[in-house]
């Protein structure tokens, strides 16, 4: 077994690991940095592939594909590499199929889904309640959230059961959970859900394609380019593919990172792989119990993505946006589709089969079957995990530092969060190895974070205008219903307009 | 790396693995069986140690210690090896300290804890409700339980919050969860909880020391003797200690089980280690996603056991049983103690620090720190796991068969369940390698189980008399309260007697 010596070894060549390496390299060009990756490619949960299309071969993202204007880390990186984004196509009618097994497939002109006023009201009140709670969450230290332990003691399912008025709305929330996490609402802590929403700026930001939301832009040429450019910048000789890390040992002097065939001595390690994979590495000395129990209980989602290419975007011509939202069933396993037409005009639809439905399809090629992914898009926390173990998610263990999008405090679970986490872990390592490369401000911030003081108080991602806006929506809807009930024949036009205003806010459900 | 060839390799030399080997050996003496164990001893989560006591050295169980008369698998084994059991000492007053941070420490004469009538009623109605639900559970296929998905979508905490009337009762249930599982009520699926209770014969069977309950007997000389005798019977040359399995590969012809230094070819493998440790083994080809996601989300408990030896059992002389039930606090980390005096008369108390409190003490020697245990007493399931993944807990993956107490259908989580699971896995292997050693009945049973038909319908562990008994208790208590409210001065004596009858049923709370 060969043995080499480096300054820093990074486990994982996804956006998180590569961003960590970039930050280390930028701050101190002398550091010898090695990235070990189990897969035979860089990019982690992003991968861009060629598919036959109407006008020859074109490229599509088979993993993470959307970015948004409030995702400053990933937008900065896109700009740094001179890449371009384009807006997700959402013009036209949407198809909506939710509301029990016997629900009709409904299409909506003027971009309004055929939801009853009651369900719209329910949607509005539920999102308003969740967002109000979400605005009280401290993402850095979720247990500072008012009533944190109670919120962490219930599943997302239990919350929905208690607070949604209609069965249709409960089903809608199931679709949301599947689309955002690849997971059923009963597998996740409710506090974790609202923390995740808070890290994105509110629950609607997770669901929408509007400015600032998660599905706002796509990257021309695909998102894997970001990792490829990063690897190029860092130097391909520093990135070793097909080198899955099996063990990390450490003592007072150094750490030793082992693969099946090699062993690497170093002064610091950054582990960036998803928590359930980090849990499979053998650590010596053993990690603290809190860390072990946490990573053993962060279920990873199950989401299968498909891209269908067409001769032409026939849906656009017929006035459809390409969006379908559906309750999964035996006949229709998908949860959602979007227009996936490439910037060069190759027509396509992109969609997801997710949550429990994905299991019926998992004999197909799948993220869950990729050994060094094991699922996608993200690991969440089961109930009770935030209450007892949250600090150990990021707390360094000796020479080992933790990154990966699950450890991010802004857009946790997204490419943006991966980059934030990599940069944060890099600063931790710099503070250990060469503190002179950090500003006093950075050193103080590191110290504060590592002291677990988390004095930051409730996080203020949601501007108060957002509250007002939602309160306004709720009021409008209540008024609309009141008018409708009072004068059913009179006000249809006015109500139609009001609904239109409201429903622009709920693009994903359309 | 040396390579050897065997018929069956068993991973883990606890009661489950050793029982599997015993069954294989009994049925077919020609099978070459090898047991690989990561620890330097046999016994898994049972270990018997010597401690200084009043009259010299004596032995105590530092792991699993109790058995009960309805635990037929372990009782048979005890009988086979000519070992003896003795009854847990419970005579005398109990100490009870539950009811909020300012609760008084109360002792009770005549074995009745100083609970208010309201809390007794609450206890009675809650246990009655849970037991009624528990009696509808199919342990073999929990998703056949009426309303299964809903019950699996909430935590035990959520159920208690909804159905307990008093804060004191909620706290009592927290103590129960800690004592039985080493876990907080918010970390566990409620359906899993009632399935676990059903596998033991009802929720009170988990908690009590009465005949048929979990804390009925102890084994003279300690429970680790069972594993030592089994290992002796099987042949010490077939048990290799300090050989942690790191990988299992298989193809159409054979399986290959690897440790750091050896590799063993065989025709079948039985993996008996706890699910979170089984998840750390590297499998090739990869296991089905369902299995991976399940074992990644079965949190293991955290329970620290302590034995304190004394010159004399002073509590007995003062009329105490040695039982303390306490809400954990900074001043009092323990959840429960029992009289632990040895059969030869060495006075001792045995107690547990468990659940979240154990973390504050985990710098001490601890099951959680033992690399090839990682926690105790048992792994449970987080919400949603039974709904989506339960069948993969036992379903063989090619040549790999699964055992361990977590896979048992009777006294799951106990020594008895470990033995049952080992014997069941052995029959599966025999059905594969030498079906002629099985009776037609056994073959049919195997076939039925492996077809996942589970036609067994709801399990009937709880005799209907038990239902009647509990209904009677409830009625008695309601009548008592009615009388108390109507004639507060009159009936104290009668109520005292009624309470005494009732409270014999709730020994653990006393």
């Amino acid at each position: 077994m060969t043995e080499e010596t480096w300054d820093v070894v990074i486990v994982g060549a996804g956006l998180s690991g590569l961003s960590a390496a970039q930050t280390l390299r930028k701050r101190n060009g002398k550091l010898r940095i090695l990235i070990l990756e189990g897969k035979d490619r860089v990019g982690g949960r992003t991968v861009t592939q060629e598919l036959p299309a109407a006008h020859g071969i074109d490229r599509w993202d088979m993993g993470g594909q959307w970015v948004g204007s409030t995702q400053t880390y990933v937008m900065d990186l896109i700009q740094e590499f001179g890449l371009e984004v384009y807006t997700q196509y959402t013009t036209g009618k949407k198809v909506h199929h939710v509301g029990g097994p016997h629900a009709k497939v409904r299409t909506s002109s003027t971009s309004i889904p055929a939801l009853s006023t009651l369900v719209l009201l329910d949607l509005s009140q539920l999102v308003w309640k969740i967002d109000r709670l979400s605005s009280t969450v401290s993402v850095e230290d979720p247990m500072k959230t008012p009533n944190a332990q109670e919120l962490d003691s219930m599943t997302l399912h239990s919350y929905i059961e208690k607070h949604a008025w209609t069965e249709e709305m409960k089903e809608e929330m199931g679709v949301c959970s599947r689309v955002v996490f690849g997971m059923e609402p009963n597998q996740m802590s409710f506090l974790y859900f609202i923390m995740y929403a808070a890290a994105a700026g509110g629950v609607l930001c997770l669901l929408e394609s509007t400015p600032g939301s998660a599905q706002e832009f796509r990257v021309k040429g695909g998102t894997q380019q970001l990792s490829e450019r990063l690897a190029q910048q860092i130097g391909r000789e520093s990135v070793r593919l097909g080198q899955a890390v099996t063990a990390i040992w450490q003592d007072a002097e150094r750490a030793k990172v082992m693969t099946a065939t090699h062993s690497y001595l170093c002064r610091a390690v950054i582990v960036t792989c998803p928590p359930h994979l980090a849990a499979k590495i053998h650590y010596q000395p053993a990690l603290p119990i809190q860390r072990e129990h946490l990573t053993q209980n962060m279920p990873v989602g199950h989401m299968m993505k498909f891209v269908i290419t067409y001769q032409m975007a026939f849906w656009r011509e017929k006035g459809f946006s390409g969006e379908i939202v559906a309750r999964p069933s035996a006949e229709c396993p998908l949860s959602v589709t979007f227009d996936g037409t490439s910037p060069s005009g190759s027509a396509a639809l992109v969609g997801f089969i997710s949550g429990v439905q994905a299991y019926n399809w998992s004999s197909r090629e799948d993220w869950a079957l990729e050994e060094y992914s094991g699922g996608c898009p993200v690991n969440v926390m089961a109930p009770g995990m935030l209450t007892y173990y949250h600090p150990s998610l990021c707390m360094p263990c000796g020479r080992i530092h933790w990154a990966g999008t699950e450890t991010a405090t802004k857009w946790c679970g997204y490419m943006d969060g991966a980059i934030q986490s990599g940069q944060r872990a890099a600063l931790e390592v710099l503070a250990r190895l060469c503190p002179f490369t950090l500003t006093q401000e950075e050193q103080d911030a590191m110290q504060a974070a590592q002291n677990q003081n988390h004095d930051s108080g409730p996080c203020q991602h949601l501007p108060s205008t957002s509250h007002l806006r939602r309160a306004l929506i709720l009021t409008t809807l209540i008024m609309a219903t009141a008018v409708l009930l009072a004068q059913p024949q009179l006000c249809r036009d006015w109500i139609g307009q009001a609904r239109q205003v409201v429903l622009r806010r709920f693009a994903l459900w359309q």
Side-chain angles (χ1 to χ4, degrees), chain A:
Chain A
M1 190 176 274
T2 63
E3 198 163 89
E4 300 175 18
T5 303
W6 297 79
D7 287 317
V8 185
V9 173
I10 297 171
V11 181
L15 274 171
S16 181
L18 292 162
S19 297
Q22 186 193 39
T23 301
L24 291 170
R25 189 56 58 85
K26 277 185 181 171
R27 295 295 187 105
N28 185 345
K30 290 181 181 166
L31 282 177
R32 290 159 304 146
I33 303 160
L34 178 68
I35 306 180
L36 298 173
E37 169 59 53
K39 300 178 198 283
D40 58 1
R41 59 169 183 80
V42 300
R45 285 169 269 184
T46 62
V47 61
T48 308
Q49 286 181 358
E50 294 189 336
L51 291 177
H55 314 293
I57 297 294
D58 210 334
R59 295 170 70 77
W60 276 272
D61 281 320
M62 305 308 291
Q65 72 172 38
W66 283 290
V67 297
S69 50
T70 62
Q71 300 180 348
T72 51
Y73 291 93
V74 71
M75 293 306 282
D76 285 353
L77 203 60
I78 287 167
Q79 195 177 24
E80 179 178 343
F81 291 134
L83 299 175
E84 284 175 65
V85 298
Y86 62 105
T87 304
Q88 171 64 39
Y89 184 84
T90 57
T91 313
K93 290 186 285 185
K94 281 85 180 168
V95 177
H96 199 84
H97 186 208
V98 176
H102 305 298
K104 283 184 200 159
V105 176
R106 294 159 167 178
T107 60
S108 56
S109 52
T110 68
S111 83
I112 301 178
L115 286 174
S116 71
T117 312
L118 181 62
V119 177
L120 282 178
L121 262 176
D122 194 8
L123 174 65
S124 180
Q125 67 89 18
L126 192 65
V127 168
W128 184 75
K129 269 186 197 155
I130 294 176
D131 259 351
R132 202 179 43 170
L133 279 173
S134 168
S135 71
T136 67
V137 171
S138 159
V139 179
E140 287 77 11
D141 188 356
M143 294 318 291
K144 281 193 175 163
T145 308
N147 207 19
Q149 192 161 352
E150 191 54 37
L151 299 172
D152 190 38
S153 294
M154 65 176 87
T155 60
L156 173 56
H157 174 98
S158 294
Y159 183 86
I160 297 168
E161 277 298 311
K162 195 167 171 188
H163 293 280
W165 303 336
T166 61
E167 288 306 311
E168 193 166 339
M169 195 56 225
K170 292 176 189 173
E171 205 176 84
E172 295 269 11
M173 289 301 294
V175 174
C176 294
S177 172
R178 270 172 232 119
V179 168
V180 174
F181 301 98
M183 202 161 291
E184 302 296 320
N186 62 4
Q187 297 179 269
M188 192 184 332
S189 150
F190 179 65
L191 179 61
Y192 190 83
F193 173 74
I194 58 175
M195 185 214 75
Y196 197 91
V203 73
L204 293 180
C205 294
L206 296 175
L207 300 170
E208 294 190 353
S209 308
T210 49
S213 297
Q215 284 75 232
E216 184 178 0
F217 300 131
R218 289 164 57 196
V219 178
K220 283 189 188 173
T223 57
Q224 198 184 358
Q225 291 175 105
L226 291 170
S227 293
E228 281 159 355
R229 302 282 177 99
L230 278 168
Q232 213 162 6
Q233 191 186 71
I234 294 155
R236 281 284 178 183
E237 71 288 353
S238 297
V239 184
R240 305 231 176 126
L241 304 177
Q243 287 279 307
V245 169
T246 55
I248 303 176
W249 294 358
Q250 55 177 326
D251 58 25
E253 271 84 49
R254 58 191 185 174
K256 186 173 174 180
V257 180
M258 281 165 276
T259 68
T261 51
H262 290 69
S263 111
Y264 305 91
L265 298 174
C266 60
R267 294 155 67 204
V269 186
I270 301 177
V271 175
T272 72
C273 52
H276 69 283
L277 295 183
K280 293 201 177 200
I281 295 172
H282 182 265
Y283 300 90
Q284 200 168 301
L287 300 181
I289 299 309
Q290 287 87 332
R291 166 91 200 167
E292 281 284 323
H293 283 202
L294 176 65
T295 56
Q296 282 161 19
N297 297 291
M298 288 187 62
V300 62
H302 194 175
M303 193 184 260
M304 303 179 76
K305 187 173 183 174
F306 59 85
V307 177
I308 311 172
T309 59
Y310 295 93
Q311 280 298 320
M312 48 191 296
F314 63 86
W315 56 93
R316 291 192 185 188
E317 289 174 17
K318 294 188 175 174
F320 285 86
S321 70
E323 289 169 61
I324 304 172
V325 173
R327 63 184 305 276
S329 62
E331 300 79 37
C332 171
L334 65 85
S335 294
V336 67
T337 66
F338 288 91
D339 184 300
T341 302
S342 76
S344 63
S346 304
L349 287 177
V350 51
F352 299 96
I353 301 172
S354 51
V356 65
Q357 285 287 332
Y359 290 101
N360 304 331
W361 289 74
S362 65
S363 56
R364 310 297 200 284
E365 198 179 348
D366 180 7
W367 281 99
L369 296 180
E370 223 184 288
E371 184 173 9
Y372 299 110
S373 294
C376 80
V378 67
N379 295 61
V380 305
M381 291 191 196
M385 295 297 120
L386 285 171
T387 305
Y388 307 117
Y389 313 123
H390 179 258
S392 49
L393 184 63
C394 295
M395 198 187 293
C397 299
R399 297 177 175 276
I400 306 174
H401 299 258
W402 309 103
T405 190
E406 285 81 3
T407 69
T409 54
K410 194 165 161 267
W411 285 102
C412 168
Y414 292 79
M415 290 182 269
D416 196 60
I419 299 167
Q420 185 213 24
S421 76
Q423 294 183 3
R424 187 256 315 141
L427 292 188
E428 287 174 15
V429 168
L430 290 169
R432 170 195 294 276
L433 302 188
C434 38
F436 57 86
T437 62
L438 300 186
T439 64
Q440 189 58 46
E441 209 176 355
E442 286 169 338
Q443 289 186 40
D444 294 346
M446 306 289 321
Q447 198 56 50
Q450 291 196 13
N451 285 349
Q452 290 293 312
N453 284 332
H454 298 312
D455 292 327
S456 53
C459 173
Q460 292 299 332
H461 282 292
L462 277 180
S464 55
T465 53
S466 169
H467 262 149
L468 283 172
R469 194 179 60 195
R470 271 150 204 161
L472 198 62
I473 292 169
L474 187 65
T475 314
T476 310
L477 274 167
I478 291 170
M479 282 171 62
T481 318
V483 171
L484 182 72
L485 292 171
Q487 303 187 285
Q489 305 303 325
L490 197 66
C491 303
R492 287 197 187 279
D493 280 2
W494 180 80
I495 292 163
Q497 286 167 18
R499 284 174 80 193
Q500 197 158 352
V501 170
V502 170
L503 289 163
R504 284 206 199 97
R505 304 298 311 150
F506 306 120
L508 198 86
W509 280 289
Q510 292 170 47

